[in-house]
Amino acid sequence: MVRTMTVICFCIMSGFFLCLGGCSLAPKYLRPAAPVSAQWPKGEAYKARWSGVQPSISWQEFFINPKLRKVVAMALENNRDLRVAALNIEKAIALYQIQRSELFPGIDASGSWSKEHQLISGLPGGAQSPTIKRYSVELGISAWELDIFGRIRSLKEQALEQFSATEQAQRGVQISLVAEVANTWLALAADQEQLKLAQDTLKNRQDAYQLVRRRFELGVSSELDLRQAQMQVEAAKVDVARYTTLVAQDENALNLAVGKSVPPELLPHDLSETLAAVKEVAPGLPSDVLLRRPDILQAEDILKGANANIGAARADFFPRITLTTNIGLMSEELSRLFKSGSDTWGFVPQVILPIFDAGASSANLRAAKVDRDIALARYEKAIQTAFREVADALAQRGTIDEQAAAQRSLTDAAAATYHLSMSCYEKGIDSYLNVLDAQRSLYAAQQGLIAIRLARLTNLVTLYKVLGGGGPQNSTSSNVSHPDKQ
């Protein structure tokens, strides 16, 4: 029994080390060249002064407004989409461990008892037919495949790359969530200011309406002037109601992104307090910075997995060797089961050599290669899309300050025009039509200034997002250990 166990264990260990030392038929992976320019676009929309290197900073360093920091931290703790992404990582780890386990023999223990009555006629002396009892205990390995040609290792590598892709997907969800919360918070601030502007405009127009009404009662102004002033009051009331709705909807959107109700003390009151909510970034980087983006890293992991799957498909053309073995004890009496002479063992190696499968293996290999080509095209498209997103953000960043300066000048000019036209109307040297035009122009300019200030801040958030969120070390998924250590 001892010699038999030694021989079987030797065969199993030999097969195990042969499995570990087997070859791999997967193609060697080489990262494809990025299908974009090595430099960002140049032109009037881009600032030449952007020549520094973007540091990898966390969102805690990027957002300097304490209220916004607390809101983002709440979102990272409570957002349900982020929880689903984290659970997907745990699922990917489990699937990888399932695939990895096929490299090792599975050892099973079993015990059985059987009772069989054999009917035999014509026994001498009237003897009864015998009843046979069997007791057995076995320990064995069932159909363990020796991975000589790397089929199982290729599938394991594919599962590992799928885990890495899932981890990068979680990073992408986190970065998108941080940007979504920041943009929603800024939009709420802008709509709060738009609401305040609409309320102030309503008060000014009501004052103007009372002035025109007194002039009308004195016979100085016409009824047309009175009705036009009334129209402006009603239009301002519409805007007040509209922005009241938008503010409420912004708060609802922020609560959804955060995953719980945001305390009132963490909500912005207007856009002025958020002008220093984010730090400036220096996006003068070569285009290879895009390779840090989680969506591109995810696409590359999927490409690596497809590349490994080719090795598994190639291995299907070669023989599969499996081992089935067991050792145990068997006796017709339970009391003798563990005594000498009750040993039993079995050793069944099996070789399966593919000869004819109607082209299934060839088709499987072609499908694996096509999957690899599809993954390559998607990887390249992800890089091109990322390059375009960064270029668009840089183009806006290069012109937004000029737009803001021009809009401020326009607003100042519109305010001066309105005051002059109102003064002339009060003195009776100008018509009320010019006052209305100046009033509408001023209101539109003030709304435009708020919109541009919001665009400038959201552009910074967009740059943070499209540049990869400050680097891989900012992801909470970095706390997830390698699946081999789970």
Side-chain angles (χ1 to χ4, degrees):
M1 178 69 175
V2 173
R3 180 179 298 177
T4 301
M5 292 179 63
T6 302
V7 172
I8 292 176
C9 290
F10 175 76
C11 293
I12 293 174
M13 294 304 297
S14 299
F16 180 69
F17 286 111
L18 181 63
C19 175
L20 292 179
C23 63
S24 175
L25 301 179
K28 183 178 180 181
Y29 176 77
L30 295 174
R31 173 179 284 179
V36 294
S37 172
Q39 300 294 330
W40 300 120
K42 297 180 180 179
E44 295 183 0
Y46 306 93
K47 294 295 184 181
R49 63 182 177 84
W50 288 341
S51 58
V53 176
Q54 167 66 26
S56 295
I57 58 176
S58 65
W59 65 266
Q60 294 94 333
E61 297 174 300
F62 186 76
F63 297 102
I64 61 177
N65 185 285
K67 289 185 178 181
L68 182 54
R69 281 182 181 176
K70 292 180 180 179
V71 173
V72 171
M74 289 174 57
L76 294 178
E77 182 179 354
N78 297 285
N79 182 266
R80 281 9 180 219
D81 291 333
L82 195 58
R83 289 185 185 179
V84 170
L87 292 173
N88 284 335
I89 290 181
E90 295 184 18
K91 179 181 177 181
I93 291 175
L95 293 176
Y96 167 76
Q97 291 173 338
I98 291 172
Q99 188 61 59
R100 183 191 60 179
S101 66
E102 295 188 12
L103 285 171
F104 304 91
I107 302 176
D108 301 315
S110 63
S112 65
W113 171 75
S114 65
K115 184 176 182 181
E116 179 183 356
H117 179 74
Q118 295 181 349
L119 181 61
I120 302 176
S121 60
L123 292 176
Q128 296 181 351
S129 300
T131 299
I132 302 175
K133 300 178 182 180
R134 289 188 178 89
Y135 301 88
S136 66
V137 176
E138 293 183 348
L139 187 70
I141 297 172
S142 177
W144 173 44
E145 180 180 346
L146 299 181
D147 193 30
I148 298 176
F149 300 101
R151 187 185 74 88
I152 297 177
R153 283 198 309 281
S154 294
L155 293 176
K156 186 201 76 166
E157 289 301 317
Q158 182 190 30
L160 179 61
E161 296 301 337
Q162 184 61 45
F163 158 75
S164 298
T166 305
E167 191 177 21
Q168 295 301 333
Q170 194 253 8
R171 280 192 59 226
V173 171
Q174 175 180 311
I175 293 172
S176 297
L177 174 62
V178 170
E180 178 187 0
V181 170
N183 284 330
T184 305
W185 196 81
L186 292 171
L188 174 58
D191 285 339
Q192 292 267 24
E193 190 159 325
Q194 293 280 17
L195 175 59
K196 184 176 183 301
L197 173 63
Q199 291 170 339
D200 292 342
T201 301
L202 173 60
K203 183 178 182 304
N204 292 334
R205 290 182 178 181
Q206 286 175 334
D207 293 342
Y209 172 74
Q210 294 299 329
L211 173 63
V212 175
R213 183 176 180 178
R214 287 194 298 270
R215 292 173 61 88
F216 171 73
E217 292 173 350
L218 295 174
V220 178
S221 296
S222 65
E223 184 178 359
L224 178 60
D225 292 344
L226 180 64
R227 297 309 174 193
Q228 288 175 332
Q230 183 182 5
M231 288 174 56
Q232 294 301 304
V233 170
E234 300 304 324
K237 289 181 179 179
V238 171
D239 282 353
V240 169
R242 179 164 63 91
Y243 283 113
T244 300
T245 301
L246 289 176
V247 167
Q249 291 175 340
D250 290 339
E251 290 183 7
N252 294 336
L254 186 60
N255 290 336
L256 176 61
V258 171
K260 61 184 297 186
S261 297
V262 179
E265 62 270 15
L266 296 182
L267 297 177
H269 298 295
D270 53 49
L271 202 59
S272 59
E273 72 176 61
T274 64
L275 289 177
V278 289
K279 288 185 176 180
E280 293 282 355
V281 294
L285 302 168
S287 58
D288 60 2
V289 72
L290 299 175
L291 299 181
R292 300 185 310 181
R293 281 179 41 143
D295 57 335
I296 294 178
L297 292 175
Q298 179 186 5
E300 185 176 15
D301 289 334
I302 293 175
L303 174 59
K304 290 178 181 179
N307 192 72
N309 193 44
I310 293 177
R314 286 176 174 174
D316 285 337
F317 289 91
F318 295 88
R320 293 188 188 182
I321 302 176
T322 59
L323 298 179
T324 299
T325 181
N326 62 78
I327 56 176
L329 304 170
M330 179 179 294
S331 175
E332 294 183 0
E333 296 180 10
L334 182 61
S335 60
R336 298 181 55 191
L337 181 62
F338 296 98
K339 293 183 178 181
S340 176
S342 61
D343 306 341
T344 180
W345 62 274
F347 183 66
V348 186
Q350 183 181 27
V351 179
I352 301 176
L353 178 65
I355 297 177
F356 176 74
D357 60 1
S361 297
S362 298
N364 186 43
L365 178 58
R366 289 197 304 272
K369 290 182 177 180
V370 171
D371 285 340
R372 190 265 315 273
D373 294 339
I374 292 174
L376 174 60
R378 288 176 174 170
Y379 170 71
E380 293 176 337
K381 179 61 180 297
I383 293 178
Q384 291 173 338
T385 301
F387 186 87
R388 183 263 172 94
E389 290 176 351
V390 176
D392 286 350
L394 293 180
Q396 184 182 22
R397 189 75 200 118
T399 57
I400 193 68
D401 289 338
E402 296 178 2
Q403 294 180 47
Q407 189 68 33
R408 280 192 292 269
S409 297
L410 176 62
T411 303
D412 293 341
T417 301
Y418 170 70
H419 292 305
L420 288 174
S421 61
M422 193 65 182
S423 177
C424 292
Y425 172 74
E426 292 174 349
K427 295 177 181 179
I429 59 176
D430 202 355
S431 69
Y432 192 68
L433 181 61
N434 291 332
V435 175
L436 293 177
D437 289 339
Q439 194 177 58
R440 284 192 292 263
S441 297
L442 175 59
Y443 185 47
Q446 291 171 327
Q447 289 180 314
L449 182 59
I450 295 174
I452 288 181
R453 290 163 59 199
L454 174 63
R456 181 180 179 278
L457 294 171
T458 56
N459 173 253
L460 292 175
V461 177
T462 299
L463 277 172
Y464 176 80
K465 177 183 176 181
V466 299
L467 288 173
Q473 71 275 16
N474 299 319
S475 173
T476 56
S477 64
S478 60
N479 297 326
V480 179
S481 61
H482 192 279
D484 283 331
K485 300 179 181 179
Q486 296 290 316

